[in-house]
Amino acid sequence: MYLADKWTDYRLIDAAGGEKLEYWGGYILRRPEPQAVWSVKSEKKLWDRCDAWYHRSSSGGGKWQFFNKKIPDRWQIGYGDLTFNIKPMGFKHTGLFPEQAVNWDWFGNLIKNADRPVRVLNLFAYTGGATAAALAAGAEVCHVDASKGMVTWAKENIISSSLSDRPVRYIVDDVIKFVKREFRRQKQYDAIIMDPPSYGRGPSGEVWKIENELYPLIEECMKILSDKPLFFLINSYTTGLGAQILKNILDMTMKKRYGGKAEADEIGLPMSAGGLILPCGISGRWQND
């Protein structure tokens, strides 16, 4: 398992009964967590002392209940030299997936140790955690997401991380259409990061279903890779799409063409209470020799 265990401003305190209890830079949030199927809570007192609790509705969606009147609309947390803006938002999210820090460290080291400039394409880039990490490591980044609001948030994270002077391009577009246009423009990238949703829609109503679209997208991405790419990273939170599937895809595409090493595993967060690890999706990684 790829373990994100180097946080100081974030901590997964406990998880049980379909929920998780987290420390986010001075505030404790209680959110739904379907992976926590066990019922034993190790920190029973803290569960009732959270600053905010997201209640999921049986009809879909949900809402936050705030107990601490001093909790701000948004605040910041740090990871190394990076600073991210956190905000309790609709459908339980905060604008950051802390488990991804283990991937930031992985590809950050690859970028830092490369003996050449590195151009990174970050697809389904959300609020820019991976974009910030790649910029901080010294890469040039193209950040693509279909949501204008998420791209705006990413820009704020880059500014907060004091990286606004780094070479970054922000694109609001459907990912597949953008990749195809980059091929026609003869643009090339040395590394690709993608965090595709299970289901989604582009800015013009384009429908995305990961089971149908993932492999064709990777084939399109390979057309815009440089002659000697550095790495390829696929993240997935889709139930039923296992680690071996991602490894198979990378074996049939990246490893077949470029050699190198392909692997895939769960990503997880350690719980400070009880000593357990919470699985948080999977990552498929390819890197060149």
Side-chain angles (χ1 to χ4, degrees):
M1 176 176 279
Y2 307 133
L3 199 61
D5 58 359
K6 294 181 175 61
W7 280 97
T8 55
D9 283 359
Y10 169 86
R11 185 168 72 255
L12 175 60
I13 301 170
D14 201 3
E19 293 184 298
K20 58 186 173 185
L21 194 68
E22 303 163 289
Y23 170 85
W24 289 87
Y27 300 100
I28 295 177
L29 304 184
R30 182 172 175 175
R31 300 193 290 161
E33 179 47 68
Q35 298 285 350
V37 297
W38 52 91
S39 59
V40 178
K41 293 179 178 179
S42 301
E43 290 284 355
K44 295 180 181 179
K45 292 181 180 179
L46 284 179
W47 283 90
D48 296 324
R49 290 167 51 191
C50 64
D51 295 293
W53 184 1
Y54 185 89
H55 298 275
R56 176 166 284 169
S57 171
S58 58
S59 58
K63 64 179 182 179
W64 287 94
Q65 180 182 9
F66 295 94
F67 302 102
N68 182 353
K69 294 182 179 180
K70 294 182 179 180
I71 189 170
D73 291 336
R74 63 171 60 200
W75 64 96
Q76 295 181 333
I77 68 170
Y79 185 78
D81 294 330
L82 305 177
T83 300
F84 300 107
N85 296 281
I86 302 302
K87 178 184 177 182
M89 53 191 291
F91 198 64
K92 80 177 182 178
H93 294 306
T94 63
L96 190 69
F97 293 95
E99 63 273 10
Q100 286 298 324
V102 68
N103 283 323
W104 305 340
D105 292 340
W106 171 71
F107 66 69
N109 286 330
L110 291 177
I111 294 169
K112 291 175 183 176
N113 293 326
D115 57 354
R116 56 192 169 99
V118 178
R119 299 186 70 220
V120 175
L121 177 60
N122 187 11
L123 302 174
F124 309 99
Y126 195 49
T127 59
T131 296
L135 288 173
E140 175 185 343
V141 182
C142 180
H143 175 109
V144 185
D145 198 277
S147 168
K148 184 177 180 180
M150 293 300 104
V151 172
T152 298
W153 197 333
K155 292 179 181 179
E156 294 169 354
N157 284 332
I158 298 307
I159 293 171
S160 298
S161 298
S162 300
L163 295 168
S164 55
D165 61 336
R166 304 296 175 91
V168 56
R169 183 164 59 126
Y170 301 100
I171 305 293
V172 179
D173 202 354
D174 174 73
V175 161
I176 297 175
K177 289 182 177 179
F178 176 78
V179 170
K180 289 181 177 180
R181 277 202 303 273
E182 290 291 86
F183 174 65
R184 293 195 295 270
R185 295 169 183 148
Q186 298 183 329
K187 294 291 183 67
Q188 289 191 327
Y189 296 88
D190 305 296
I192 293 179
I193 300 165
M194 63 171 67
D195 200 343
S198 301
Y199 178 85
R201 290 186 179 273
S204 300
E206 302 89 347
V207 176
W208 165 275
K209 290 185 69 175
I210 194 168
E211 299 91 339
N212 301 332
E213 308 292 348
L214 179 59
Y215 192 85
L217 173 59
I218 293 171
E219 289 185 312
E220 291 296 330
C221 286
M222 291 182 67
K223 297 176 183 178
I224 57 173
L225 286 172
S226 60
D227 293 337
K228 191 175 181 181
L230 185 63
F231 69 86
F232 202 115
L233 173 64
I234 310 170
N235 293 304
S236 174
Y237 294 88
T238 302
T239 303
L241 192 66
Q244 188 61 46
I245 293 175
L246 293 190
K247 184 179 184 303
N248 289 346
I249 291 173
L250 291 172
D251 280 339
M252 290 185 290
T253 53
M254 297 301 296
K255 186 175 181 180
K256 182 179 180 180
R257 177 175 297 180
Y258 299 103
K261 176 184 178 183
E263 60 181 20
D265 207 341
E266 289 182 298
I267 48 177
L269 288 166
M271 279 184 263
S272 56
L276 302 179
I277 296 173
L278 181 69
C280 305
I282 57 175
S283 291
R285 297 172 172 179
W286 174 88
Q287 68 183 79
N288 217 330
D289 292 329

